[in-house]
Structures are given as structure tokens and as C-alpha cells.
Amino acid sequence: MKTVLVSGGTSTLGRAICTKFVEDGYMVYCAYASSKEKALSLSTSLGPSLVPLPLDVQDEASIAEACAHLQSLDLLVNNSGVFSVFPTEELVASEWQRIFDINVTGMFRLTKQVLPLLRQAKGTIVNIASINALHPGFGGTTCYDASKGAVVSYTKALAAELAPDVRVNAVAPGLIAAPYLDKDHPLRQLYEKRALLSHLVAPEQVAEAVSFLSRCTAMTAQVLTIDCGYLAG
Ligand SMILES: NC(=O)c1ccc[n+]([C@@H]2O[C@H](COP(=O)([O-])OP(=O)(O)OC[C@H]3O[C@@H](n4cnc5c(N)ncnc54)[C@H](OP(=O)(O)O)[C@@H]3O)[C@@H](O)[C@H]2O)c1
């Protein structure tokens, strides 16, 4: 049975990725930092193929403890990521560092520790970037945009370093549908007006792309945009 580790596995997107890989027949390690209850409830609904795993990407010891549970690993999905909005005048360095520490350095910490297992399995990595890396300037998101730009550069550099043993790709999702984005939400209206397909991105659609990248052995160092045509609109 193939094995996948999904960081931030209980987030809006994380849940969809975990669900997709359970459906694909994987043993899914659903990593959580603070959302233990959500992870246990996901495990109840998806069954024994989903194993909740505490894992804080800011804490080397927590990563090591989580990795000790893994006997093998075919796929790492670096999905943990945080977002905040501050114009530069109001953005303090500690917030900049927090976002980078989770979105970028956290990705590096986790990747480094699971790399021996991935090399052994000739496995693959899918990093979660964002269209903000490719089209920055949504307003007040300089730090997040820069962090996702770093995710894109890291993906390409790591792919070159690990080839041909381990493939590394990224997906760059647009705005993902979530319960808070009801149909009157200004952000949703703005997004749907510009997106060629006139709707938000469903988390399941991003999970499909992650699954595709995990299987497509001709692809490495690529960034797949899943944005319902927003950037082209
Ligand atoms: N939502 C969007 O529209 C969108 C668009 C493009 C890209 N993305 C990217 O997609 C990914 C998932 O987004 P989302 O909206 O589904 O996330 P979300 O619901 O906002 O949840 C954030 C996730 O990050 C995890 N996390 C935070 N700090 C962590 C830490 N120190 N260690 C490990 N995990 C940590 C959280 O885990 P706990 O809850 O367990 O603490 C949670 O699972 C992120 O990388 C995000 O940047 C999202």
C-alpha cells in the first residue's frame, strides 16, 4: 500500500487531499498542528486508512516524532500554510517571520526529515503554492505573496537537486471555496467576475491536480495553476 503524508491535513484543502488519497487506496498520514479534534473526526469518517499525526512544521522535534511513525513514504504533500493581510506600514517583522517560518522554512524542515524515506521509495513531493506567487498584488498580502514565490523557487531548485530520484512539483491554486465565502462575499464576487469559468476553485479540484502530479512520472519542477481561469481573465 502506498503512503502519503499531508501537512495541514485538516485544513480546507488538506481534508480534500486526504480524502482523495484515501479514495486512491493510499495509507494517509493526516498531519495536524493544533486541530486534533478535526483530525480525529476525519479519521472517523474516512476509516483506518487515515492516520492522524501531530506535526508542527515550526518544531524540528515534533517533525522527528511524527517521522518516527513512518516506515516508508511515497508522497509528501507540503500543504501547511498561513495567510494574513497587512499593508507594509502595518506589517511587523515578527509577522513576516511567522509567515515565512511556516510557509517556507516549515516546508524545508519537513522535506529534509522525510527525504531519506522518499529517496528509498523513489517518491515524489507536491508543494502547495498559490496564484499569489504568480500574480502578486491583491493588496496587503506582500508577505504571503513573497512566501509563495519562495515556494515556487524552492520547488524548482529542489526538483533539480533531487532528480532523477525524487520528483518535485507544485500546484498554485486560486481562491478556494470555503464556508465563509458565501455568494455575497465581496472577495468571491471579485474572483468570480474575473475568472473565465466564473466560479471559485473547489478543494476537490486541487486535490485532483495533486493526485495527477503524484502519478505523472514525466513531470518535475512544474507549477500547475488551478484557478478557474482567473489569471487569464
Ligand atoms: N484557501 C485558499 O484560497 C488558498 C489559495 C491558494 C493556496 N492556498 C494554500 O493552500 C494551503 C491550505 O490552505 P487552506 O486554506 O486549506 O488552509 P487553512 O484552512 O487556512 O488552514 C491552515 C493549515 O495550516 C496548518 N498550520 C498552521 N500552522 C502550522 C504549523 N506550525 N505546523 C503545521 N501546520 C500548520 C493548520 O494546521 P492546524 O489547524 O492543525 O493548526 C491548517 O491545517 C496553504 O498552503 C495555503 O497557503 C490556499
Side-chain angles (χ1 to χ4, degrees), residues 7-15 17 31-36 38-39 53-59 62-63 78-83 98 101-103 106-107 109-110 127-132 144 147-148 151 171-178 180-181 187 191 201 203 206 226:
S7 71
T10 69
S11 70
T12 306
L13 177 55
R15 275 197 306 275
I17 295 171
Y32 62 89
S34 61
S35 299
K36 183 176 181 181
K38 284 187 191 169
L53 203 58
L55 191 162
D56 180 344
V57 298
Q58 293 185 279
D59 178 355
S62 153
I63 298 174
N78 276 313
N79 170 67
S80 286
V82 288
F83 175 82
R98 183 185 76 89
D101 198 57
I102 296 172
N103 294 7
M107 187 174 276
R109 286 191 196 99
L110 179 55
N127 294 329
I128 308 300
S130 165
I131 56 166
N132 289 46
Y144 179 79
S147 78
K148 290 300 183 179
V151 167
V171 294
L175 186 60
I176 295 173
Y180 80 94
L181 289 168
L187 195 55
Y191 194 90
V201 180
V206 182
I226 311 291

Short mmCIF file of all heavy atoms in Angstrom, two decimals, residues 7-15 17 31-36 38-39 53-59 62-63 78-83 98 101-103 106-107 109-110 127-132 144 147-148 151 171-178 180-181 187 191 201 203 206 226, ligand 1:
data_model
loop_
_atom_site.label_atom_id
_atom_site.label_comp_id
_atom_site.label_asym_id
_atom_site.label_seq_id
_atom_site.Cartn_x
_atom_site.Cartn_y
_atom_site.Cartn_z
N SER A 7 0.76 17.56 5.23
CA SER A 7 0.85 18.52 6.34
C SER A 7 -0.38 19.43 6.28
O SER A 7 -0.95 19.66 5.22
CB SER A 7 2.15 19.33 6.26
OG SER A 7 2.11 20.24 5.19
N GLY A 8 -0.80 19.90 7.45
CA GLY A 8 -2.03 20.72 7.49
C GLY A 8 -3.20 19.93 6.94
O GLY A 8 -4.06 20.46 6.25
N GLY A 9 -3.25 18.66 7.29
CA GLY A 9 -4.21 17.73 6.65
C GLY A 9 -5.66 17.97 7.00
O GLY A 9 -6.53 17.40 6.36
N THR A 10 -5.93 18.82 8.00
CA THR A 10 -7.34 19.08 8.34
C THR A 10 -7.83 20.41 7.80
O THR A 10 -8.96 20.81 8.05
CB THR A 10 -7.56 19.07 9.87
OG1 THR A 10 -6.93 20.21 10.42
CG2 THR A 10 -7.03 17.80 10.51
N SER A 11 -6.97 21.15 7.09
CA SER A 11 -7.40 22.44 6.53
C SER A 11 -8.43 22.20 5.42
O SER A 11 -8.66 21.06 5.02
CB SER A 11 -6.18 23.18 5.95
OG SER A 11 -5.74 22.52 4.79
N THR A 12 -9.00 23.28 4.93
CA THR A 12 -9.99 23.16 3.84
C THR A 12 -9.43 22.31 2.70
O THR A 12 -10.05 21.35 2.25
CB THR A 12 -10.33 24.57 3.29
OG1 THR A 12 -10.73 25.38 4.39
CG2 THR A 12 -11.42 24.53 2.25
N LEU A 13 -8.24 22.66 2.26
CA LEU A 13 -7.64 21.92 1.15
C LEU A 13 -7.07 20.57 1.63
O LEU A 13 -7.20 19.55 0.94
CB LEU A 13 -6.53 22.76 0.50
CG LEU A 13 -5.75 22.10 -0.63
CD1 LEU A 13 -6.69 21.60 -1.74
CD2 LEU A 13 -4.73 23.07 -1.22
N GLY A 14 -6.47 20.58 2.81
CA GLY A 14 -5.87 19.35 3.35
C GLY A 14 -6.87 18.21 3.42
O GLY A 14 -6.57 17.07 3.05
N ARG A 15 -8.08 18.53 3.90
CA ARG A 15 -9.12 17.49 4.01
C ARG A 15 -9.43 16.87 2.66
O ARG A 15 -9.58 15.66 2.52
CB ARG A 15 -10.42 18.09 4.57
CG ARG A 15 -10.48 18.16 6.07
CD ARG A 15 -11.92 18.37 6.54
NE ARG A 15 -12.57 19.53 5.94
CZ ARG A 15 -12.47 20.77 6.40
NH1 ARG A 15 -11.74 21.03 7.45
NH2 ARG A 15 -13.10 21.77 5.81
N ILE A 17 -7.49 16.74 0.06
CA ILE A 17 -6.33 15.94 -0.40
C ILE A 17 -6.31 14.60 0.32
O ILE A 17 -6.14 13.54 -0.32
CB ILE A 17 -5.01 16.73 -0.18
CG1 ILE A 17 -4.99 17.98 -1.07
CG2 ILE A 17 -3.80 15.84 -0.48
CD1 ILE A 17 -3.83 18.94 -0.78
N ALA A 31 -1.44 15.04 8.95
CA ALA A 31 -0.73 15.77 10.00
C ALA A 31 -1.51 17.01 10.42
O ALA A 31 -2.09 17.70 9.58
CB ALA A 31 0.66 16.16 9.50
N TYR A 32 -1.52 17.26 11.72
CA TYR A 32 -2.18 18.47 12.24
C TYR A 32 -1.25 19.13 13.25
O TYR A 32 -0.43 18.45 13.88
CB TYR A 32 -3.52 18.12 12.90
CG TYR A 32 -3.38 17.20 14.10
CD1 TYR A 32 -3.18 17.72 15.37
CD2 TYR A 32 -3.41 15.83 13.96
CE1 TYR A 32 -3.03 16.89 16.47
CE2 TYR A 32 -3.25 14.98 15.05
CZ TYR A 32 -3.07 15.51 16.31
OH TYR A 32 -2.90 14.69 17.39
N ALA A 33 -1.36 20.45 13.37
CA ALA A 33 -0.58 21.17 14.39
C ALA A 33 -1.45 21.39 15.61
O ALA A 33 -1.12 20.92 16.70
CB ALA A 33 -0.07 22.49 13.83
N SER A 34 -2.60 22.08 15.44
CA SER A 34 -3.47 22.35 16.59
C SER A 34 -4.84 21.68 16.46
O SER A 34 -5.56 21.56 17.44
CB SER A 34 -3.65 23.87 16.74
OG SER A 34 -4.26 24.40 15.59
N SER A 35 -5.19 21.22 15.26
CA SER A 35 -6.56 20.75 15.02
C SER A 35 -6.73 19.24 15.26
O SER A 35 -7.13 18.49 14.35
CB SER A 35 -6.99 21.09 13.59
OG SER A 35 -6.98 22.48 13.41
N LYS A 36 -6.46 18.82 16.49
CA LYS A 36 -6.56 17.39 16.80
C LYS A 36 -7.99 16.85 16.62
O LYS A 36 -8.19 15.77 16.05
CB LYS A 36 -6.09 17.18 18.24
CG LYS A 36 -6.06 15.72 18.65
CD LYS A 36 -5.52 15.54 20.04
CE LYS A 36 -5.49 14.06 20.40
NZ LYS A 36 -4.98 13.84 21.75
N LYS A 38 -10.38 17.89 14.72
CA LYS A 38 -10.74 17.76 13.30
C LYS A 38 -10.09 16.51 12.70
O LYS A 38 -10.69 15.80 11.89
CB LYS A 38 -10.26 18.99 12.52
CG LYS A 38 -11.11 20.22 12.71
CD LYS A 38 -10.64 21.30 11.75
CE LYS A 38 -11.26 22.64 12.05
NZ LYS A 38 -10.62 23.72 11.30
N ALA A 39 -8.84 16.24 13.10
CA ALA A 39 -8.13 15.08 12.55
C ALA A 39 -8.81 13.78 13.01
O ALA A 39 -8.98 12.84 12.22
CB ALA A 39 -6.67 15.10 12.99
N LEU A 53 -1.79 12.51 12.75
CA LEU A 53 -0.40 12.56 13.22
C LEU A 53 -0.10 14.00 13.68
O LEU A 53 -0.14 14.92 12.86
CB LEU A 53 0.51 12.20 12.04
CG LEU A 53 1.91 11.67 12.29
CD1 LEU A 53 1.88 10.41 13.13
CD2 LEU A 53 2.59 11.39 10.95
N PRO A 54 0.24 14.21 14.97
CA PRO A 54 0.61 15.57 15.38
C PRO A 54 1.93 15.98 14.74
O PRO A 54 2.90 15.20 14.76
CB PRO A 54 0.75 15.47 16.91
CG PRO A 54 0.81 14.03 17.24
CD PRO A 54 0.28 13.24 16.07
N LEU A 55 1.97 17.16 14.14
CA LEU A 55 3.19 17.61 13.46
C LEU A 55 3.17 19.12 13.28
O LEU A 55 2.32 19.65 12.57
CB LEU A 55 3.30 16.91 12.09
CG LEU A 55 4.61 17.03 11.31
CD1 LEU A 55 4.69 15.95 10.24
CD2 LEU A 55 4.85 18.38 10.69
N ASP A 56 4.10 19.78 13.96
CA ASP A 56 4.22 21.23 13.87
C ASP A 56 5.43 21.55 13.00
O ASP A 56 6.56 21.23 13.39
CB ASP A 56 4.38 21.81 15.29
CG ASP A 56 4.50 23.32 15.30
OD1 ASP A 56 4.76 23.93 14.24
OD2 ASP A 56 4.33 23.90 16.38
N VAL A 57 5.22 22.16 11.85
CA VAL A 57 6.36 22.38 10.93
C VAL A 57 7.35 23.42 11.45
O VAL A 57 8.42 23.59 10.88
CB VAL A 57 5.90 22.76 9.49
CG1 VAL A 57 5.09 21.66 8.84
CG2 VAL A 57 5.16 24.09 9.47
N GLN A 58 7.00 24.09 12.56
CA GLN A 58 7.94 25.05 13.16
C GLN A 58 8.84 24.38 14.20
O GLN A 58 9.69 25.05 14.79
CB GLN A 58 7.17 26.19 13.82
CG GLN A 58 6.42 27.06 12.82
CD GLN A 58 5.77 28.25 13.49
OE1 GLN A 58 4.70 28.14 14.06
NE2 GLN A 58 6.41 29.38 13.42
N ASP A 59 8.63 23.10 14.44
CA ASP A 59 9.30 22.43 15.55
C ASP A 59 9.98 21.14 15.06
O ASP A 59 9.32 20.14 14.78
CB ASP A 59 8.22 22.13 16.61
CG ASP A 59 8.76 21.38 17.82
OD1 ASP A 59 9.95 21.00 17.82
OD2 ASP A 59 7.98 21.17 18.76
N SER A 62 9.06 17.93 16.89
CA SER A 62 7.72 17.43 16.55
C SER A 62 7.75 16.71 15.19
O SER A 62 7.11 15.67 15.01
CB SER A 62 6.74 18.61 16.52
OG SER A 62 5.68 18.37 15.67
N ILE A 63 8.51 17.24 14.26
CA ILE A 63 8.62 16.59 12.94
C ILE A 63 9.31 15.23 13.10
O ILE A 63 8.86 14.21 12.54
CB ILE A 63 9.40 17.48 11.94
CG1 ILE A 63 8.66 18.80 11.72
CG2 ILE A 63 9.61 16.75 10.62
CD1 ILE A 63 9.42 19.80 10.86
N ASN A 78 3.24 19.04 0.93
CA ASN A 78 3.52 20.18 1.82
C ASN A 78 2.39 21.17 1.67
O ASN A 78 2.42 22.06 0.81
CB ASN A 78 4.86 20.82 1.42
CG ASN A 78 6.05 20.12 2.03
OD1 ASN A 78 6.07 19.82 3.22
ND2 ASN A 78 7.06 19.86 1.20
N ASN A 79 1.37 21.01 2.52
CA ASN A 79 0.15 21.82 2.39
C ASN A 79 0.00 22.89 3.47
O ASN A 79 -0.69 23.89 3.26
CB ASN A 79 -1.05 20.87 2.41
CG ASN A 79 -2.38 21.59 2.52
OD1 ASN A 79 -2.78 22.30 1.60
ND2 ASN A 79 -3.06 21.45 3.65
N SER A 80 0.68 22.72 4.61
CA SER A 80 0.53 23.71 5.70
C SER A 80 0.85 25.10 5.17
O SER A 80 1.84 25.28 4.46
CB SER A 80 1.52 23.42 6.84
OG SER A 80 1.09 22.30 7.56
N GLY A 81 0.04 26.06 5.53
CA GLY A 81 0.31 27.42 5.08
C GLY A 81 -0.60 28.40 5.79
O GLY A 81 -1.76 28.08 6.06
N VAL A 82 -0.07 29.57 6.11
CA VAL A 82 -0.88 30.59 6.78
C VAL A 82 -0.84 31.89 5.98
O VAL A 82 0.06 32.12 5.17
CB VAL A 82 -0.41 30.82 8.23
CG1 VAL A 82 -0.78 29.64 9.12
CG2 VAL A 82 1.09 31.08 8.29
N PHE A 83 -1.82 32.72 6.27
CA PHE A 83 -2.10 33.91 5.45
C PHE A 83 -2.47 35.05 6.39
O PHE A 83 -3.16 34.82 7.38
CB PHE A 83 -3.30 33.54 4.56
CG PHE A 83 -3.86 34.63 3.71
CD1 PHE A 83 -3.27 34.93 2.50
CD2 PHE A 83 -4.99 35.33 4.10
CE1 PHE A 83 -3.79 35.93 1.68
CE2 PHE A 83 -5.52 36.34 3.29
CZ PHE A 83 -4.92 36.62 2.08
N ARG A 98 6.91 34.95 10.97
CA ARG A 98 5.98 33.84 11.28
C ARG A 98 5.46 33.21 9.98
O ARG A 98 5.47 31.99 9.83
CB ARG A 98 4.80 34.37 12.12
CG ARG A 98 3.82 33.28 12.55
CD ARG A 98 2.62 33.88 13.28
NE ARG A 98 1.67 34.52 12.39
CZ ARG A 98 0.65 33.90 11.79
NH1 ARG A 98 0.44 32.61 12.00
NH2 ARG A 98 -0.17 34.56 10.97
N ASP A 101 8.24 31.40 8.32
CA ASP A 101 8.68 30.24 9.10
C ASP A 101 7.74 29.04 8.86
O ASP A 101 8.20 27.90 8.80
CB ASP A 101 8.74 30.56 10.59
CG ASP A 101 9.58 29.54 11.34
OD1 ASP A 101 10.76 29.36 10.96
OD2 ASP A 101 9.06 28.86 12.24
N ILE A 102 6.45 29.31 8.70
CA ILE A 102 5.51 28.21 8.45
C ILE A 102 5.49 27.86 6.95
O ILE A 102 5.68 26.70 6.57
CB ILE A 102 4.09 28.58 8.95
CG1 ILE A 102 4.12 28.75 10.48
CG2 ILE A 102 3.07 27.52 8.53
CD1 ILE A 102 2.84 29.30 11.07
N ASN A 103 5.31 28.88 6.10
CA ASN A 103 5.08 28.60 4.68
C ASN A 103 6.33 28.13 3.92
O ASN A 103 6.21 27.38 2.96
CB ASN A 103 4.54 29.86 3.98
CG ASN A 103 3.15 30.25 4.48
OD1 ASN A 103 2.63 29.66 5.42
ND2 ASN A 103 2.56 31.25 3.86
N GLY A 106 9.19 25.93 7.19
CA GLY A 106 8.50 24.72 7.64
C GLY A 106 8.49 23.65 6.56
O GLY A 106 8.64 22.45 6.83
N MET A 107 8.31 24.10 5.33
CA MET A 107 8.31 23.17 4.18
C MET A 107 9.69 22.51 4.06
O MET A 107 9.81 21.31 3.83
CB MET A 107 7.97 23.99 2.93
CG MET A 107 7.76 23.20 1.69
SD MET A 107 7.20 24.25 0.32
CE MET A 107 5.44 24.34 0.59
N ARG A 109 11.95 22.21 6.53
CA ARG A 109 12.21 21.33 7.69
C ARG A 109 11.59 19.95 7.48
O ARG A 109 12.22 18.93 7.72
CB ARG A 109 11.59 21.93 8.96
CG ARG A 109 12.32 23.12 9.53
CD ARG A 109 11.76 23.44 10.94
NE ARG A 109 12.17 24.76 11.35
CZ ARG A 109 11.42 25.86 11.26
NH1 ARG A 109 10.18 25.80 10.79
NH2 ARG A 109 11.89 27.02 11.63
N LEU A 110 10.33 19.95 7.05
CA LEU A 110 9.63 18.66 6.89
C LEU A 110 10.23 17.87 5.74
O LEU A 110 10.48 16.66 5.86
CB LEU A 110 8.13 18.92 6.67
CG LEU A 110 7.25 17.68 6.46
CD1 LEU A 110 7.41 16.68 7.61
CD2 LEU A 110 5.79 18.09 6.33
N ASN A 127 4.18 20.45 -3.53
CA ASN A 127 4.09 21.62 -2.66
C ASN A 127 2.87 22.46 -3.03
O ASN A 127 2.55 22.60 -4.22
CB ASN A 127 5.35 22.48 -2.80
CG ASN A 127 6.59 21.76 -2.31
OD1 ASN A 127 6.52 20.94 -1.38
ND2 ASN A 127 7.74 22.04 -2.91
N ILE A 128 2.24 23.03 -2.02
CA ILE A 128 1.09 23.89 -2.30
C ILE A 128 1.56 25.35 -2.32
O ILE A 128 1.93 25.91 -1.29
CB ILE A 128 -0.06 23.70 -1.27
CG1 ILE A 128 -0.42 22.21 -1.13
CG2 ILE A 128 -1.27 24.52 -1.70
CD1 ILE A 128 -0.92 21.50 -2.40
N ALA A 129 1.55 25.92 -3.52
CA ALA A 129 1.92 27.34 -3.69
C ALA A 129 0.61 28.14 -3.71
O ALA A 129 -0.33 27.86 -2.95
CB ALA A 129 2.73 27.52 -4.96
N SER A 130 0.50 29.09 -4.61
CA SER A 130 -0.72 29.91 -4.73
C SER A 130 -0.58 30.75 -5.99
O SER A 130 0.54 31.09 -6.39
CB SER A 130 -0.84 30.84 -3.52
OG SER A 130 -1.79 31.85 -3.78
N ILE A 131 -1.72 31.15 -6.57
CA ILE A 131 -1.61 32.09 -7.69
C ILE A 131 -1.00 33.41 -7.23
O ILE A 131 -0.49 34.18 -8.05
CB ILE A 131 -2.96 32.37 -8.41
CG1 ILE A 131 -4.02 32.87 -7.44
CG2 ILE A 131 -3.41 31.17 -9.21
CD1 ILE A 131 -5.24 33.47 -8.15
N ASN A 132 -1.02 33.67 -5.91
CA ASN A 132 -0.39 34.91 -5.41
C ASN A 132 1.11 34.94 -5.69
O ASN A 132 1.71 36.01 -5.70
CB ASN A 132 -0.62 35.05 -3.91
CG ASN A 132 -2.04 35.38 -3.56
OD1 ASN A 132 -2.95 34.76 -4.10
ND2 ASN A 132 -2.27 36.34 -2.69
N TYR A 144 2.68 37.14 2.30
CA TYR A 144 2.17 35.85 1.81
C TYR A 144 2.62 35.62 0.37
O TYR A 144 3.09 34.53 0.01
CB TYR A 144 0.65 35.85 1.91
CG TYR A 144 -0.01 34.58 1.40
CD1 TYR A 144 -0.04 33.44 2.19
CD2 TYR A 144 -0.61 34.54 0.14
CE1 TYR A 144 -0.65 32.26 1.72
CE2 TYR A 144 -1.22 33.39 -0.33
CZ TYR A 144 -1.24 32.25 0.46
OH TYR A 144 -1.84 31.09 0.00
N SER A 147 6.16 34.70 0.23
CA SER A 147 6.39 33.34 0.76
C SER A 147 6.01 32.30 -0.29
O SER A 147 6.70 31.28 -0.45
CB SER A 147 5.64 33.12 2.08
OG SER A 147 4.26 32.88 1.86
N LYS A 148 4.93 32.54 -1.02
CA LYS A 148 4.52 31.57 -2.03
C LYS A 148 5.44 31.64 -3.26
O LYS A 148 5.65 30.64 -3.94
CB LYS A 148 3.05 31.79 -2.41
CG LYS A 148 2.09 31.41 -1.28
CD LYS A 148 2.22 29.95 -0.89
CE LYS A 148 1.23 29.53 0.18
NZ LYS A 148 1.33 28.11 0.54
N VAL A 151 8.08 29.43 -2.36
CA VAL A 151 7.67 28.02 -2.51
C VAL A 151 7.89 27.57 -3.96
O VAL A 151 8.38 26.47 -4.22
CB VAL A 151 6.19 27.81 -2.09
CG1 VAL A 151 5.67 26.45 -2.53
CG2 VAL A 151 6.05 27.98 -0.57
N VAL A 171 1.40 22.88 -6.96
CA VAL A 171 0.17 23.42 -7.53
C VAL A 171 0.01 24.85 -7.02
O VAL A 171 0.40 25.17 -5.90
CB VAL A 171 -1.10 22.59 -7.17
CG1 VAL A 171 -1.05 21.22 -7.81
CG2 VAL A 171 -1.30 22.48 -5.69
N ALA A 172 -0.56 25.68 -7.87
CA ALA A 172 -0.82 27.08 -7.49
C ALA A 172 -2.33 27.31 -7.59
O ALA A 172 -2.85 27.64 -8.66
CB ALA A 172 -0.06 28.03 -8.42
N PRO A 173 -3.04 27.10 -6.47
CA PRO A 173 -4.49 27.28 -6.52
C PRO A 173 -4.89 28.75 -6.50
O PRO A 173 -4.19 29.60 -5.94
CB PRO A 173 -4.99 26.59 -5.24
CG PRO A 173 -3.83 25.89 -4.63
CD PRO A 173 -2.60 26.57 -5.16
N GLY A 174 -6.04 29.01 -7.10
CA GLY A 174 -6.69 30.31 -6.93
C GLY A 174 -7.50 30.28 -5.65
O GLY A 174 -7.26 29.43 -4.77
N LEU A 175 -8.48 31.17 -5.54
CA LEU A 175 -9.27 31.26 -4.31
C LEU A 175 -10.13 30.00 -4.15
O LEU A 175 -10.94 29.66 -5.02
CB LEU A 175 -10.15 32.52 -4.36
CG LEU A 175 -10.94 32.84 -3.09
CD1 LEU A 175 -10.02 33.07 -1.89
CD2 LEU A 175 -11.81 34.08 -3.32
N ILE A 176 -9.92 29.33 -3.03
CA ILE A 176 -10.58 28.04 -2.79
C ILE A 176 -11.90 28.26 -2.05
O ILE A 176 -11.97 29.00 -1.07
CB ILE A 176 -9.64 27.11 -1.98
CG1 ILE A 176 -8.41 26.77 -2.82
CG2 ILE A 176 -10.37 25.85 -1.55
CD1 ILE A 176 -7.33 25.99 -2.08
N ALA A 177 -12.94 27.59 -2.54
CA ALA A 177 -14.26 27.71 -1.91
C ALA A 177 -14.19 27.24 -0.46
O ALA A 177 -13.60 26.20 -0.17
CB ALA A 177 -15.27 26.86 -2.69
N ALA A 178 -14.78 28.03 0.42
CA ALA A 178 -14.82 27.68 1.85
C ALA A 178 -16.12 28.27 2.40
O ALA A 178 -16.68 29.22 1.82
CB ALA A 178 -13.61 28.29 2.57
N TYR A 180 -16.95 30.33 4.62
CA TYR A 180 -17.07 31.77 4.89
C TYR A 180 -17.27 32.58 3.60
O TYR A 180 -17.73 33.73 3.64
CB TYR A 180 -15.84 32.27 5.66
CG TYR A 180 -14.60 32.53 4.82
CD1 TYR A 180 -14.32 33.80 4.31
CD2 TYR A 180 -13.72 31.51 4.50
CE1 TYR A 180 -13.20 34.04 3.53
CE2 TYR A 180 -12.59 31.73 3.72
CZ TYR A 180 -12.34 33.00 3.24
OH TYR A 180 -11.23 33.22 2.45
N LEU A 181 -16.96 31.98 2.44
CA LEU A 181 -17.09 32.71 1.17
C LEU A 181 -18.50 32.50 0.59
O LEU A 181 -18.66 31.86 -0.46
CB LEU A 181 -16.02 32.23 0.19
CG LEU A 181 -14.59 32.65 0.51
CD1 LEU A 181 -13.60 31.88 -0.36
CD2 LEU A 181 -14.41 34.15 0.30
N LEU A 187 -15.06 39.27 -1.81
CA LEU A 187 -13.89 38.61 -2.39
C LEU A 187 -14.32 37.57 -3.43
O LEU A 187 -13.74 37.45 -4.52
CB LEU A 187 -13.11 37.93 -1.25
CG LEU A 187 -11.69 37.48 -1.55
CD1 LEU A 187 -10.85 38.63 -2.06
CD2 LEU A 187 -11.06 36.88 -0.29
N TYR A 191 -13.62 37.63 -7.45
CA TYR A 191 -12.93 36.50 -8.06
C TYR A 191 -13.75 35.93 -9.22
O TYR A 191 -13.25 35.70 -10.33
CB TYR A 191 -12.66 35.40 -7.02
CG TYR A 191 -11.66 34.38 -7.51
CD1 TYR A 191 -10.30 34.55 -7.29
CD2 TYR A 191 -12.06 33.26 -8.25
CE1 TYR A 191 -9.37 33.65 -7.76
CE2 TYR A 191 -11.14 32.36 -8.73
CZ TYR A 191 -9.80 32.55 -8.48
OH TYR A 191 -8.87 31.65 -8.97
N VAL A 201 -12.47 27.96 -6.90
CA VAL A 201 -11.85 26.64 -7.08
C VAL A 201 -12.33 25.73 -5.95
O VAL A 201 -12.25 26.10 -4.77
CB VAL A 201 -10.31 26.79 -7.00
CG1 VAL A 201 -9.65 25.43 -7.18
CG2 VAL A 201 -9.80 27.79 -8.02
N PRO A 203 -11.94 22.69 -3.42
CA PRO A 203 -10.77 21.99 -2.89
C PRO A 203 -10.54 20.63 -3.55
O PRO A 203 -9.40 20.22 -3.77
CB PRO A 203 -11.06 21.85 -1.39
CG PRO A 203 -12.44 22.34 -1.16
CD PRO A 203 -12.89 23.09 -2.37
N VAL A 206 -8.40 20.89 -6.63
CA VAL A 206 -6.97 21.00 -6.35
C VAL A 206 -6.41 19.61 -5.96
O VAL A 206 -5.32 19.22 -6.38
CB VAL A 206 -6.69 22.03 -5.23
CG1 VAL A 206 -5.20 22.17 -4.99
CG2 VAL A 206 -7.32 23.37 -5.58
N ILE A 226 -4.27 26.07 -10.81
CA ILE A 226 -5.65 25.59 -10.75
C ILE A 226 -6.49 26.77 -10.28
O ILE A 226 -6.69 26.98 -9.08
CB ILE A 226 -5.80 24.42 -9.74
CG1 ILE A 226 -4.74 23.34 -9.94
CG2 ILE A 226 -7.21 23.82 -9.79
CD1 ILE A 226 -4.89 22.54 -11.20
N1 LIG B 1 -7.62 28.91 0.83
C1 LIG B 1 -7.23 29.42 -0.35
O1 LIG B 1 -7.98 30.12 -1.05
C2 LIG B 1 -5.85 29.08 -0.86
C3 LIG B 1 -5.49 29.53 -2.14
C4 LIG B 1 -4.21 29.22 -2.63
C5 LIG B 1 -3.33 28.50 -1.85
N2 LIG B 1 -3.73 28.08 -0.61
C6 LIG B 1 -2.74 27.31 0.16
O2 LIG B 1 -3.29 26.01 0.39
C7 LIG B 1 -2.81 25.51 1.64
C8 LIG B 1 -4.01 25.13 2.50
O3 LIG B 1 -4.83 26.28 2.63
P1 LIG B 1 -6.20 26.23 3.43
O4 LIG B 1 -6.95 27.48 3.13
O5 LIG B 1 -6.84 24.91 3.22
O6 LIG B 1 -5.62 26.33 4.93
P2 LIG B 1 -6.40 26.76 6.24
O7 LIG B 1 -7.78 26.17 6.24
O8 LIG B 1 -6.27 28.23 6.43
O9 LIG B 1 -5.53 26.03 7.38
C9 LIG B 1 -4.17 26.30 7.58
C10 LIG B 1 -3.46 24.97 7.80
O10 LIG B 1 -2.08 25.19 8.10
C11 LIG B 1 -1.74 24.40 9.22
N3 LIG B 1 -0.68 25.00 10.02
C12 LIG B 1 -0.61 26.25 10.54
N4 LIG B 1 0.49 26.37 11.29
C13 LIG B 1 1.14 25.18 11.23
C14 LIG B 1 2.32 24.69 11.81
N5 LIG B 1 3.11 25.44 12.60
N6 LIG B 1 2.68 23.40 11.56
C15 LIG B 1 1.90 22.61 10.77
N7 LIG B 1 0.76 23.01 10.20
C16 LIG B 1 0.39 24.30 10.44
C17 LIG B 1 -3.01 24.34 10.08
O11 LIG B 1 -2.94 23.22 10.94
P3 LIG B 1 -3.77 23.17 12.33
O12 LIG B 1 -5.17 23.64 12.02
O13 LIG B 1 -3.70 21.75 12.74
O14 LIG B 1 -3.07 24.10 13.29
C18 LIG B 1 -4.06 24.19 8.98
O15 LIG B 1 -4.19 22.85 8.61
C19 LIG B 1 -1.96 26.61 2.25
O16 LIG B 1 -0.60 26.39 1.94
C20 LIG B 1 -2.47 27.86 1.55
O17 LIG B 1 -1.50 28.89 1.51
C21 LIG B 1 -4.95 28.34 -0.10
#
